[in-house]
Amino acid sequence: MSDQNPAGTGESPKKFQPYVPENIEMKEFTLRAMLLGLVLTVVLGAANAYLGLRAGITIAATYPAAVIAMAVIRAWKGSLLEENIARTAGSIGESVAAGAIFTVPAFLIAKAWPSFRPADAYWKATALMVVGSVLGVLFVSLVRRVMVEDPELPFPESVAASEIHKAGQRGAEAAKYLFWNIGVGGVVYMLGRFGLFASDRDFHFPVGNLGHSQVRLGAAGNTNIVAAGGATTFAAPSVSPAYLGVGYIIGLKLAAIQFSGGVLAWGLMVPLLIYFLGPQLRHYLPADTPDDWATMAVAVWRFIVRPIAVGGMLVGAAYTLYKMRSSLTVGLGKAFRDLRQTADEQAKLSRTERYMSSKTVFGLIALMFVLMCMLYIHLTGLVWPAILAAVVLIIVGFFFATVSGSLVGMIGSSNNPISGLTLSTLIIAALLMVSLGVSGMSGVAAVLGVAAVVCVSSAVAGELLQDFKVGYILGGTPQKIQMAELIAVVVASLVMYFPLMLLHEANIKAGGIGFGDRQLSAPQAGLMATLALGIVGGDMPWPLVVVGILMGIAMIMMQVRSPMLVAVGMYLPFETTFAIFIGGVFRTLGDWLAKRRGFNHAQMARVENAGVLTASGLIAGEAVLGLVWAGLQFAPAWTRTQLFTNPSYWAGMVVMLGLALLMIRLPLSSAGDPNEPAPPTAMM
């Protein structure tokens, strides 16, 4: 909380003092800081693209970017504010990646684009990302001051990042945990790819007895008998450093909620449907594979259970926004009041209060609007519907960018419900297209185009406001932060297509279908495509979606913490949610051992920091090497030589045990002296 004027004292409130005083000039926006930031934004953005397409989750890059920027800039004997610029530019790529993976693959899944090859997709995808990310920077620039200076917004991750920069003497130690485990995660992933161990395994078991099982619909002796029986499959947890790291960072409670969705899908719905549909499904099995029930179980999950999950996600998104209605209303009110600031008032501002002028911001927004109109006309082949879509985007985009910033101030960017905001935008745009009589792929493309820009814009806006807050605490110049962000988002947008294309094409090369495949599930993009096709194209399996909606309402009535997370768990492959859950278990075991050893607050903070950095390193290691492996799909076959023809999953269990020891023991060993002061915690 801030220093407020105590009632009745007559004292004026204390003015906030940044770490670097406003009258001190220090190296800040330098070439080396920007180059480091751009490298980080590409690497961390690509890593999050990999993670999001496979696991449906992205991890905020602020913390690892702060650690890397601090370690490198200090090695170059740079300044604190240079570190801040490098971290600012380096963390924004994650937001561009999040916006991209949630929406861009949807164009291909919905068949609005003929392929994802560069000739068909690069400039369209890049234009959507550039327009969305630049708009995100501009929108939040209009509301930045009142939100950054609001004492009611705690900005947990911003405070943590700023404290990391202040506690620079621990930088080398923090970087050690991160970089070491990047290597471990990458090596483990590649050993699995080369066949030293099996990363996944499915277990098959019967559900009833086909040809003998039956359900009697009536009392004993009744002849209303339904034939039943079949077989289903159950996946073991993936041996994945990235999934385990995600579970460790989000913790057991959130990991368990998501895993519960997988249990509902594969422990209840799929077996139940297989049991009743078995005799009918048998006729659809290929003649030469009479026992290929695993394929049918996956088909049941993909085409029956997943639409139910879509309904649950819709309710989850609406419920998330409803719970935050008070903070959203307050944040928007303050944002509009801030627009009335005059030019004279801006001219009197000190270095730490200098922002890009409102005239420049509004001029760039107007330019983006013109570009959007041209882009949507190109995407859809329609003129007035495209222009109307651009108008809707400006209004809804500004609203949701402000909403995103407010939510980041309350709960941090790791928990920002971008997919919920995008779903709301998509439904608004879809209903608008239907009301205008627009149908077919032109309407689907327009809807997805609006959703993509708003999604990227909202993600970038939240991350930028978080960066503004870090700069506010440290004493950075806001105008230079804005310049760094604009450069970084454009660079990230120009290159983000390539990791997406690489993963998609490599999955096809390995025998998959690309986006939407079990190994590249892209759950949010699949949801966007389903909704756009369903509302505009009339291809929505509404009975299944309504069942999911009612299921979501029931979860709200049962006071489930996050119906959205449960529905996402139903949508993701079971081995993914299972592995994330195991990672959460590792975190809980480590915390339990730390408490059992009697660690004090300072030691627990050091254990938490080391644990989050260890998990972040494992995630980044697998993500980076995952992109390398995807590239190897286009290289000669000898580059992918398998160590064992039939690798063992039990060997994989040994590897997972080794990762467990690493993720539990390494943080515990970093507890340090109980008399040392507590460092800032990661607050992930």
Side-chain angles (χ1 to χ4, degrees), residues 238-276:
S238 289
V239 183
S240 164
Y243 295 165
L244 296 173
V246 169
Y248 189 98
I249 287 176
I250 67 176
L252 182 59
K253 288 184 179 179
L254 293 180
I257 291 173
Q258 187 180 66
F259 183 49
S260 72
V263 174
L264 275 175
W266 289 96
L268 173 65
M269 294 184 181
V270 171
L272 192 64
L273 290 166
I274 287 286
Y275 182 68
F276 283 104

Side-chain angles (χ1 to χ4, degrees), residues 264 312 550-560 562-563 566-567:
L264 275 175
L550 294 175
M551 180 190 69
I553 293 172
M555 285 191 284
I556 292 172
M557 295 170 69
M558 292 185 289
Q559 301 182 10
V560 173
S562 177
V566 176

Side-chain angles (χ1 to χ4, degrees), residues 34-263:
M34 274 306 304
L35 289 177
L36 175 60
L38 293 179
V39 171
L40 288 176
T41 204
V42 170
V43 173
L44 295 175
N48 266 287
Y50 169 89
L51 188 63
L53 287 173
R54 294 200 66 192
I57 293 175
T58 58
I59 299 298
T62 296
Y63 192 56
V67 171
I68 296 171
M70 180 178 58
V72 176
I73 294 293
R74 284 187 175 275
W76 292 343
K77 301 188 184 306
S79 71
L80 176 73
L81 297 186
E82 280 184 290
E83 294 176 20
N84 183 54
I85 288 293
R87 180 202 50 76
T88 292
S91 62
I92 202 68
E94 177 266 331
S95 297
V96 177
I101 62 169
F102 287 175
T103 53
V104 170
F107 286 91
L108 190 66
I109 296 172
K111 303 189 186 310
W113 291 348
S115 78
F116 207 66
R117 298 289 175 87
D120 293 319
Y122 174 73
W123 287 112
K124 296 175 186 176
T126 300
L128 289 168
M129 287 186 276
V130 169
V131 170
S133 57
V134 171
L135 277 176
V137 174
L138 299 175
F139 284 152
V140 86
S141 295
L142 295 174
V143 299
R144 74 284 168 186
R145 181 177 291 105
V146 67
M147 299 181 78
V148 164
E149 298 178 5
D150 186 353
E152 300 300 322
L153 294 177
F155 284 96
E157 292 177 0
S158 300
V159 173
S162 63
E163 290 298 322
I164 290 166
H165 286 293
K166 292 179 188 178
Q169 63 274 16
R170 297 184 60 85
E173 183 179 341
K176 176 187 69 176
Y177 290 116
L178 187 67
F179 291 125
W180 172 259
N181 286 290
I182 286 175
V184 172
V187 168
V188 169
Y189 173 79
M190 291 303 284
L191 289 176
R193 295 295 92 188
F194 283 118
L196 180 65
F197 61 89
S199 300
D200 299 286
R201 180 172 179 180
D202 290 336
F203 297 94
H204 308 284
F205 57 91
V207 185
N209 189 353
L210 186 64
H212 296 86
S213 294
Q214 58 186 26
V215 176
R216 189 185 303 276
L217 299 178
N222 193 294
T223 57
N224 293 331
I225 295 175
V226 177
T232 186
T233 183
F234 207 75
S238 289
V239 183
S240 164
Y243 295 165
L244 296 173
V246 169
Y248 189 98
I249 287 176
I250 67 176
L252 182 59
K253 288 184 179 179
L254 293 180
I257 291 173
Q258 187 180 66
F259 183 49
S260 72
V263 174

Side-chain angles (χ1 to χ4, degrees), residues 321-338:
L321 296 178
Y322 173 76
K323 287 194 298 183
M324 297 175 176
R325 63 193 183 281
S326 298
S327 59
L328 300 185
T329 303
V330 172
L332 283 175
K334 292 179 178 178
F336 285 113
R337 287 197 298 272
D338 189 55

Side-chain angles (χ1 to χ4, degrees), residues 288-360:
D288 56 342
T289 55
D291 297 322
D292 189 19
W293 283 97
T295 300
M296 296 312 301
V298 171
V300 167
W301 168 67
R302 184 181 298 277
F303 299 109
I304 299 179
V305 175
R306 272 187 157 186
I308 295 173
V310 167
M313 282 192 268
L314 284 174
V315 172
Y319 183 56
T320 299
L321 296 178
Y322 173 76
K323 287 194 298 183
M324 297 175 176
R325 63 193 183 281
S326 298
S327 59
L328 300 185
T329 303
V330 172
L332 283 175
K334 292 179 178 178
F336 285 113
R337 287 197 298 272
D338 189 55
L339 291 175
R340 294 196 292 266
Q341 190 177 55
T342 65
D344 290 337
E345 291 172 330
Q346 292 178 348
K348 298 176 182 177
L349 299 175
S350 63
R351 177 186 65 82
T352 55
E353 295 179 332
R354 290 181 205 146
Y355 292 85
M356 192 181 293
S357 72
S358 296
K359 288 183 180 179
T360 302

